[in-house]
Amino acid sequence: MKLDDKTKKEIGKRFRESREQKNLTQSDVAKKASLSTGYYARIERGMEQPALHTLKALVEVLNVKAGDILPF
């Protein structure tokens, strides 16, 4: 399923907020999720639609529920 830009931006915002609440850098999260920092930064800016396995890795790294990140 292809997400619209508004949804991608909302997901990115929620990832950023979760990361900041845990005092982690984008690099910290990316490394723990086996992603490049640039790719993770693009997810936070709503420029990328991460695959399901990437979403799973990120929610595990940030210790949040998928429902806290996904706006649907």
Side-chain angles (χ1 to χ4, degrees), residues 23-54:
N23 296 313
L24 296 170
T25 66
Q26 288 180 337
S27 182
D28 293 335
V29 174
K31 185 175 181 179
K32 290 177 183 182
S34 300
L35 303 172
S36 74
T37 302
Y39 180 65
Y40 178 70
R42 289 191 305 275
I43 291 171
E44 280 197 5
R45 289 194 308 267
M47 299 172 68
E48 296 284 347
Q49 179 175 323
L52 187 56
H53 67 275
T54 301

Side-chain angles (χ1 to χ4, degrees), residues 3-69:
L3 300 175
D4 60 44
D5 288 343
K6 181 179 176 186
T7 302
K8 289 190 288 189
K9 286 184 188 299
E10 182 62 29
I11 289 170
K13 176 184 168 201
R14 292 178 184 195
F15 272 128
R16 185 183 70 250
E17 290 170 349
S18 295
R19 174 182 60 78
E20 289 174 346
Q21 286 174 356
K22 292 170 178 47
N23 296 313
L24 296 170
T25 66
Q26 288 180 337
S27 182
D28 293 335
V29 174
K31 185 175 181 179
K32 290 177 183 182
S34 300
L35 303 172
S36 74
T37 302
Y39 180 65
Y40 178 70
R42 289 191 305 275
I43 291 171
E44 280 197 5
R45 289 194 308 267
M47 299 172 68
E48 296 284 347
Q49 179 175 323
L52 187 56
H53 67 275
T54 301
L55 287 171
K56 183 178 185 289
L58 290 171
V59 298
E60 288 174 355
V61 166
L62 293 168
N63 195 31
V64 294
K65 296 178 183 176
D68 294 336
I69 300 296

